Amino acid sequence: MTIKTTLAGLGLALLLAACAADMAPAKPGSSAIGSVLTDAKGMTLYTFDRDATPGKSACNGPCATNWPPLMAMADAKAMGDWTVITRDDGGKQWAYKGKPLYTWAKDTKPGDTTGDGFLNNAWHAARP
């Protein structure tokens, strides 16, 4: 292997690592209600109207059992519209445009949006 080939491979590896670090924690997906944000498994993400205080989740305890937060790694960094908030239990959670994100335990497959409008319309499918 030549030095040129080794350097090219190293450069590509560094570029891929940089791109992976800049990837958003969620992606657009399709559903019966249109385009929604989804987690890595393709499950719909939701926002909660009671998350009124910026940077704070109001969904803890039993609420978080039914509406699992989109957790972030402890060293995750904000990027663009994506921010990281600290939950009451000290865990990190992703937020999009200031709104913490959750999945819904009763959605069973990618594209499900059964949580949209839940609890007197307090829960909403997150939109890209």
Side-chain angles (χ1 to χ4, degrees):
M1 187 178 293
T2 67
I3 291 177
K4 191 175 187 180
T5 304
T6 302
L7 289 175
L10 180 60
L12 180 59
L14 290 172
L15 177 63
L16 290 174
C19 289
D22 288 334
M23 290 178 62
K27 60 188 177 187
S30 58
S31 73
I33 62 171
S35 185
V36 295
L37 287 177
T38 65
D39 68 5
K41 296 176 185 172
M43 301 304 287
T44 301
L45 293 170
Y46 296 89
T47 60
F48 186 36
D49 286 347
R50 294 185 186 161
D51 287 340
T53 303
K56 179 140 177 62
S57 170
C59 182
N60 295 288
C63 177
T65 299
N66 290 318
W67 298 91
L70 181 62
M71 298 304 289
M73 300 297 290
D75 62 349
K77 304 285 185 234
M79 60 186 127
D81 289 330
W82 299 95
T83 54
V84 179
I85 65 166
T86 301
R87 297 184 49 75
D88 286 356
D89 64 6
K92 303 293 184 179
Q93 179 179 0
W94 284 108
Y96 181 68
K97 295 185 177 179
K99 297 180 180 216
L101 295 170
Y102 310 85
T103 56
W104 171 227
K106 294 189 179 181
D107 282 350
T108 59
K109 64 186 181 308
D112 281 355
T113 56
T114 63
D116 191 53
F118 190 79
L119 193 62
N120 296 318
N121 206 32
W123 289 93
H124 309 280
R127 306 294 180 137

